[in-house]
């Protein structure tokens, strides 16, 4: 058994002494801290992983002790599954797996972000509507109406923007959604684990929005929705490729199984398994048919990214919907607490993904805090502007999942109110950093790329749209090192120059570029930094605004 991680093997916990009990409680606290508020106990298993099993009576006593331990640390426990083991004895022996969950001391619930991908009309928005509203669909798309943000989306039934939906699980592992809570605040208050679904567009013409959603909102996992009756069509392969290029672990949901026969569903599953086993993918498909499979899938999925769970469900009849809920409930976070603490010790850096103007609040920006800690009332600088400067601003208030929050920690998404700051100075792709960071910005950068697809040859002077994190801008190919031109499938280090304004980039950041049918992926290897010091402090732009 691993020392770190949040899975604990216990043979039995029958009537421990007081000293032993205290020791067990301390150990539980450690496991909960490792799993950021959740841990899995497997009872009836020796430390070396041997499945011994316990008799009915010993199991009851052990679970009672586990309940006492959980009460002591203020956690709840739920039995995930029980299994009989064949051990040389007349009495039937069982092993039990238990989920221990607790709202962390600082009231920060576990927050997982799941991007939802899939072809147009595969039922992405409907599935989210059913999960978050708690009522089944009528077969004509009633469930998804609450997710749409624009009138034209309601009329055409197609998602064109990025919308966020939340699903909560309380510490007993029950679903908390809009069926019993009125508002998002209520869901946040009663859940110890939140899953934010990022609903992306399936239609080909909205591909840039989908790429933006995948690169800038940094999802932990992706859910690829495939409709059972059409199978793998349209943008499905492309979305699968995007998830793999950005190294986002994904699982697959085959929807609309109520519309077609078993044979059709099986054909779609086989088609998917064939694609996943191809050399480019190297994934191991795992078809989920029971609660037991769902529990195994969730644990294996987080440990080895090569496993891809496949669910077959229907948003209309509700078939197998519970399996997906069980899976999402147990799905552990990717980073452990140690990695998050290391990020929090760095200087503040917030990516701006969306900008709004809210009446009586002023300018509001939405995005993700990639490192450090951000508090209310903090002074930060935002940039780069078109001429490469950074402007000072103050964070007035912070909201996370629509409820107010004082402190924002690394890796969390939130909206920050900036008061009377002029909205026209902001754009997507900017960063807000702490003033002492002295950020590096560049117009010219080099990246090692692989050309995935290109009609002719890719050469100097070619223009492409480059996506790096939340940055999205057209760039010109200045130079290809060591070659005159590139063809499909070739690798090279290429020098790009942004057309409009300098951007804040980091070495090692993942990069995607596209132009028509041309597509490529890679990572940033070198920046030609423009130092912000040269500009010096200029005259004040207005009341309380200075530019670097």
């Amino acid at each position: 058994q691993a020392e770190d991680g949040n899975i604990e093997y216990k043979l039995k916990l029958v009537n421990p002494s007081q000293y032993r009990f205290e020791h067990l409680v301390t150990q539980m606290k450690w496991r909960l801290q490792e799993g950021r508020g959740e841990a899995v106990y497997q009872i009836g298993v020796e430390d070396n992983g041997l499945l011994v099993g316990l008799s009915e009576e010993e199991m009851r006593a052990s679970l009672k002790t586990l309940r006492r331990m959980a009460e002591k640390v203020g956690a709840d426990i739920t039995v995930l599954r029980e299994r009989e083991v064949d051990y040389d004895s007349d009495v039937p022996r069982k092993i039990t797996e238990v989920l221990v969950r607790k709202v962390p001391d600082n009231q920060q619930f576990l927050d997982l972000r799941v991007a939802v991908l899939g072809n147009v009309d595969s039922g992405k928005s409907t599935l989210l509507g059913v999960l978050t509203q708690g009522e089944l669909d009528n077969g004509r798309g009633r469930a998804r109406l609450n997710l749409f943000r624009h009138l034209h989306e309601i009329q055409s039934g197609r998602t064109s923007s990025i919308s966020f939906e939340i699903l909560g699980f309380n510490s007993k592992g029950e679903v908390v959604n809009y069926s019993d809570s009125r508002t998002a605040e209520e869901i946040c208050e009663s859940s110890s684990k939140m899953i934010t679904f990022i609903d992306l567009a399936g239609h080909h013409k909205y591909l840039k929005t989908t790429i933006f959603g995948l690169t800038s909102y940094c999802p932990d996992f992706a859910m690829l929705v495939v409709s059972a009756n059409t199978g793998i069509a349209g943008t499905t392969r492309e979305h699968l490729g995007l998830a793999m290029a950005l190294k986002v672990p994904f699982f697959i949901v085959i929807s609309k199984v109520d519309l077609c026969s078993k044979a059709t569903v099986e054909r779609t599953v086989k088609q998917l398994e064939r694609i996943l086993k191809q050399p480019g993918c190297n994934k191991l498909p795992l078809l989920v048919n029971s609660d037991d499979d769902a529990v195994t899938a969730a644990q294996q999925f987080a440990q080895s990214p090569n496993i891809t769970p496949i669910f077959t469900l229907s948003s209309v009849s509700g078939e197998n919907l519970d399996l997906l809920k069980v899976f999402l409930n147990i799905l552990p976070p990717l980073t452990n607490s140690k990695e998050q603490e290391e990020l929090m010790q760095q200087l503040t850096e917030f990516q701006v993904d969306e900008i709004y103007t809210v009446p009586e609040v002023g300018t509001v920006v939405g995005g993700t805090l990639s490192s450090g800690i951000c508090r209310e009332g903090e002074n930060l600088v935002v940039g780069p502007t078109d001429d490469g400067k950074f402007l000072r601003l103050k964070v007035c208030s912070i909201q996370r999942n629509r409820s107010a929050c004082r402190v924002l920690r690394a890796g969390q998404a939130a909206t920050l109110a900036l008061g009377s700051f002029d909205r026209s100075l902001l754009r997507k792709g900017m960063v807000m950093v702490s003033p002492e960071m002295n950020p590096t910005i560049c117009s010219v950068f080099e990246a090692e790329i692989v050309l995935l697809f290109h009609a002719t040859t890719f050469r100097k002077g070619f223009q492409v749209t480059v996506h790096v994190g939340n940055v999205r801008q057209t760039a010109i190919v200045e130079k290809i090192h060591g070659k005159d031109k590139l063809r499909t499938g070739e690798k090279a280090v290429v020098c790009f120059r942004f057309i409009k304004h300098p951007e804040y980039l980091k070495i090692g950041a993942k990069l995607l570029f596209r132009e028509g049918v041309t597509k490529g992926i890679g990572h940033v290897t070198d920046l030609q930094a423009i130092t912000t010091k040269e500009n010096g402090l200029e005259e004040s732009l207005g009341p309380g605004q200075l530019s670097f």
Side-chain angles (χ1 to χ4, degrees), residues 30-47:
W30 161 248
R31 290 290 178 194
L32 282 168
Q33 188 190 339
E34 277 289 289
R36 283 166 65 180
E38 54 185 52
V40 175
Y41 270 67
Q42 297 184 347
I43 300 176
V45 182
E46 284 198 13
D47 277 356

Side-chain angles (χ1 to χ4, degrees), residues 203-215 238-239 242 246 445 449-455 458 462-469 471-477 496 511-522:
H203 199 278
H204 200 94
K205 83 174 186 197
Y206 303 126
L207 185 68
K208 76 167 193 182
T209 310
T210 304
I211 294 182
F212 183 73
L214 267 178
T215 51
E238 211 157 321
H239 285 177
L242 282 175
L246 294 166
F445 67 97
I449 62 157
V450 180
L451 199 58
L452 295 181
F453 181 75
H454 188 50
F458 180 84
F462 198 74
Q463 289 193 6
V464 289
T465 307
V466 175
H467 294 261
V468 189
V471 169
R472 172 170 77 185
Q473 207 193 126
T474 306
I476 296 182
V477 177
F496 289 104
L511 166 133
L512 273 162
F513 62 86
R514 55 179 182 86
E515 174 54 53
V517 289
T518 307
K519 286 184 196 68
I521 56 170

Side-chain angles (χ1 to χ4, degrees), residues 187-465:
I187 295 183
C188 293
E189 277 161 18
S190 45
S191 334
S192 55
K193 176 174 187 174
M194 298 277 300
I195 294 191
T196 308
F197 289 107
I198 308 167
D199 189 18
L200 301 170
H203 199 278
H204 200 94
K205 83 174 186 197
Y206 303 126
L207 185 68
K208 76 167 193 182
T209 310
T210 304
I211 294 182
F212 183 73
L214 267 178
T215 51
S216 70
Y217 293 113
C218 337
D220 299 305
F221 303 104
M223 171 162 89
L224 184 70
V225 184
V226 180
S227 115
N229 51 2
T230 53
I232 297 174
T235 44
T236 309
R237 282 170 203 261
E238 211 157 321
H239 285 177
L240 189 70
L242 282 175
M244 293 201 54
L246 294 166
K247 295 190 170 60
V248 180
F250 60 91
F251 57 96
I252 295 177
V253 171
I254 297 177
S255 65
K256 306 191 185 184
V257 294
D258 56 306
L259 281 180
C260 38
S261 62
K262 266 212 164 104
T264 320
V265 177
E266 278 168 18
R267 198 182 69 214
T268 307
V269 171
K270 286 214 168 66
Q271 196 184 4
L272 273 167
E273 287 179 342
R274 201 168 58 241
I275 280 198
L276 290 172
K277 287 176 181 167
Q278 280 174 357
C281 271
N282 272 341
K283 299 282 185 198
L284 199 71
L286 176 65
L287 191 62
V288 177
N289 290 320
S290 63
D291 279 1
D292 209 44
D293 293 350
V295 175
T296 314
Q299 289 170 359
Q300 295 296 335
F301 181 53
Q303 284 163 11
S304 74
N306 288 349
I307 287 179
T308 303
I310 300 178
F311 295 85
T312 53
L313 54 83
S314 158
S315 306
V316 177
S317 66
E319 183 187 335
N320 287 353
L321 209 57
D322 291 348
L323 298 185
L324 182 61
K325 287 177 184 168
V326 167
F327 174 77
L328 291 169
N329 177 27
I330 304 166
L331 202 57
L334 282 178
T335 55
N336 55 23
S337 47
K338 192 172 152 199
E339 288 171 26
Q340 198 201 12
E341 276 166 18
E342 281 171 8
L343 272 175
M344 275 160 55
Q345 283 158 9
Q346 297 170 10
L347 290 170
T348 308
E349 181 188 317
F350 182 85
Q351 295 187 348
V352 178
D353 297 334
E354 298 208 45
I355 302 154
Y356 325 94
T357 305
V358 179
E360 296 178 16
V361 179
T363 307
V364 175
V365 293
T368 314
L369 189 70
S370 39
S371 64
I373 292 181
C374 179
R375 295 184 178 82
E376 270 186 18
E378 197 158 341
N379 289 310
L380 300 173
V381 293
V382 68
T385 55
D386 292 354
D387 46 4
K389 296 190 176 63
F390 279 74
L391 312 171
R392 292 187 186 182
L393 53 78
K394 185 179 175 183
V395 178
C396 300
S397 65
I398 304 175
Q399 270 202 347
R400 184 164 165 239
N401 277 342
R402 302 172 205 167
S403 48
C405 131
R406 296 249 174 263
V407 182
L408 191 60
R409 292 174 169 75
Q412 296 177 346
T415 49
L416 314 181
L418 308 178
S420 57
F421 193 81
D422 183 5
R423 177 182 172 163
S424 60
L425 297 169
L426 296 170
R427 61 183 167 79
K428 284 184 190 182
M430 281 187 163
V431 284
M432 285 162 56
V433 292
S434 63
E436 59 261 34
M437 190 151 165
N438 194 17
T440 51
I441 56 172
C442 67
S443 282
V444 180
F445 67 97
E446 285 181 5
E448 187 178 316
I449 62 157
V450 180
L451 199 58
L452 295 181
F453 181 75
H454 188 50
T456 54
T457 52
F458 180 84
R459 55 179 75 231
K460 185 183 164 187
F462 198 74
Q463 289 193 6
V464 289
T465 307

Side-chain angles (χ1 to χ4, degrees), residues 475-524:
I476 296 182
V477 177
E478 291 269 298
K479 185 179 178 191
I480 301 173
H481 290 282
K483 293 181 184 171
D484 296 338
K485 54 195 179 206
L486 280 183
R487 292 185 184 279
T488 301
E490 292 187 337
K491 209 174 188 176
V493 176
V494 176
C495 179
F496 289 104
R497 192 186 73 227
F498 285 128
I499 276 190
K500 276 172 71 180
H501 32 242
E503 296 281 9
Y504 171 84
L505 295 181
K506 278 183 171 165
I507 289 180
K510 295 193 198 85
L511 166 133
L512 273 162
F513 62 86
R514 55 179 182 86
E515 174 54 53
V517 289
T518 307
K519 286 184 196 68
I521 56 170
H523 60 270
V524 179

